[in-house]
Amino acid sequence: MIEALQAAFALIREFFLDGFVALLAVAVVGPMLGAALVVRRMPLLALAVPQLAACGQAAAFWCFAMFFAKREGGVVEEPGATIQLAGSVAAVFAGMLLLMFGSARTLGARAAIAFLFAIALRDVLFLETPYDKVFEDLVHRGRLLTVDASGRNTVLAASAIVTLVLVATLRRNQVAAFDPDQARLLGAKPRVHTLATMLLFGLYCAVVVPIVDATVVLVLTLVPPIALRTAVPTLASYVPWCVATSVVAATIAFVLACTEGLDWPPGPTLTIVVTAVSLTIAIVAKTVRRP
C-alpha cells in the first residue's frame, strides 16, 4: 500500500504536477464561492454556471470547426485556449443574464433547467464537430491530467484574484446574506453584494472550467458547502471547514486516480471522494456536537 502511494506521488510529481496544483487552487477557491452561494440559498446556481462554461467551450469547438478548421480534405488542430475562453465567457454571461430574469424565488428552478439544457447542448455541439477524441476525453477523463504550465498559471492567477476579493469582503458578504437589515445599517447593499458574488463566480467558472473541466469546479464548489452547512459549530468556522475538507478530499481523489492498478478517471473519482469525505466529516461533526 505504501509503495503504491509512493509510486502515485512520484507519477504526479513527474507528469501531472500542473494538474494537481490547479486542482488544489480550485479546491481552495471553489468552496469559498460555494459557501457564499449556499448562505444566500442559491446553491443551484453553482450547479448551472460551470456547465454553462462547458457548453460555451463546446460552442467554441463547433464554431471553430464550422468557420475556420475545415479545409479541403481535412481538419486542423483544435481551437486554442483564447478561443475556448471566449466561448466560455460568452456562454456564462449569456446564461446568467437569462437567469436574472424572473422572480428570485424561482431562480433555483431556472438554474436547474439551465444545467440540464447546458449539458445536452454541450453534447450535441461536440458531436457535431470532428473533435470526437476531445469530447471522449472530456466525458470520461476530464482535463486534469492534461493541464499544462500555461493552464496552471491561469488557474492560479484567477484563484488568487478571487481569493483576495472574497477575503476582503467576507464579513460584509456574510452580514448581507444573513441579516440584510443590519447590512443596510452598516452602509452595505445586499443586492449589490449578491450580484457581485454571482459575477465573481461567473468569471471564475468562465476562466477555469475550460482548463480543468466543469465537474471539478462543480463538485468542489457545491458539495462541501452543502454537506457542512449545518454541521459546523459557528458561521466563522464554516468557510475554513469547507476549504479544508475540499483540499483533503481533492488530494485523496487525485492520488487514487494516479495509483497504479486503479486507473480511475479523475472526474468521477473526485465526485465520489469529495462527497464521501464531506458527508463523513458532517456526520462526525454532528455526532460530536450532540449532547
Side-chain angles (χ1 to χ4, degrees):
M1 180 64 178
I2 295 178
E3 292 180 356
L5 290 176
Q6 289 175 339
F9 280 112
L11 186 66
I12 292 171
R13 185 172 59 253
E14 186 171 357
F15 296 106
F16 306 127
L17 186 59
D18 291 330
F20 182 58
V21 172
L23 174 64
L24 292 182
V26 179
V28 172
V29 178
M32 297 173 67
L33 288 166
L37 295 173
V38 168
V39 296
R40 287 179 166 81
R41 297 180 177 87
M42 300 166 62
L44 289 179
L45 194 67
L47 190 70
V49 175
Q51 288 298 339
L52 288 171
C55 182
Q57 183 186 16
F61 274 84
W62 183 83
C63 290
F64 188 77
M66 287 294 295
F67 300 108
F68 300 103
K70 288 188 176 179
R71 299 290 186 269
E72 293 183 5
V75 178
V76 299
E77 62 185 16
E78 67 182 67
T82 302
I83 295 176
Q84 295 183 44
L85 175 62
S88 177
V89 170
V92 165
F93 284 99
M96 291 185 70
L97 282 175
L98 291 175
L99 289 174
M100 294 296 294
F101 289 102
S103 170
R105 294 182 179 180
T106 62
L107 176 61
R110 297 197 303 276
I113 293 172
F115 168 75
L116 296 172
F117 180 80
I119 289 179
L121 184 57
R122 185 199 70 164
D123 292 355
V124 169
L125 288 172
F126 264 122
L127 290 173
E128 288 295 318
T129 71
Y131 304 105
D132 297 337
K133 186 64 171 64
V134 174
F135 175 69
E136 182 181 346
D137 287 343
L138 284 174
V139 171
H140 296 292
R141 304 200 67 85
R143 289 211 163 201
L144 277 177
L145 300 183
T146 60
V147 174
D148 57 15
S150 176
R152 176 205 64 200
N153 292 338
T154 300
V155 173
L156 289 176
S159 299
I161 293 171
V162 171
T163 300
L164 289 174
V165 173
L166 288 174
V167 170
T169 60
L170 179 62
R171 180 59 181 170
R172 282 181 171 266
N173 269 324
Q174 289 179 336
V175 173
F178 279 95
D179 194 344
D181 292 333
Q182 183 180 354
R184 293 186 186 94
L185 292 175
L186 294 174
K189 297 179 180 180
R191 287 179 59 86
V192 173
H193 280 282
T194 298
L195 289 174
T197 300
M198 293 173 63
L199 179 63
L200 193 65
F201 180 57
L203 277 171
Y204 189 69
C205 288
V207 173
V208 171
V209 165
I211 299 172
V212 301
D213 193 37
T215 299
V216 174
V217 179
L218 191 157
V219 170
L220 294 175
T221 300
L222 199 59
V223 176
I226 289 179
L228 299 175
R229 174 65 184 86
T230 59
V232 295
T234 63
L235 177 61
S237 63
Y238 177 46
V239 172
W241 268 101
C242 290
V243 172
T245 300
S246 175
V247 170
V248 170
T251 301
I252 294 173
F254 201 85
V255 171
L256 285 176
C258 294
T259 299
E260 186 178 358
L262 291 179
D263 195 29
W264 292 353
T269 305
L270 185 71
T271 302
I272 293 170
V273 173
V274 171
T275 302
V277 171
S278 299
L279 291 177
T280 300
I281 292 177
I283 292 171
V284 171
K286 288 182 179 180
T287 302
V288 170
R289 289 175 57 196
R290 186 176 300 167

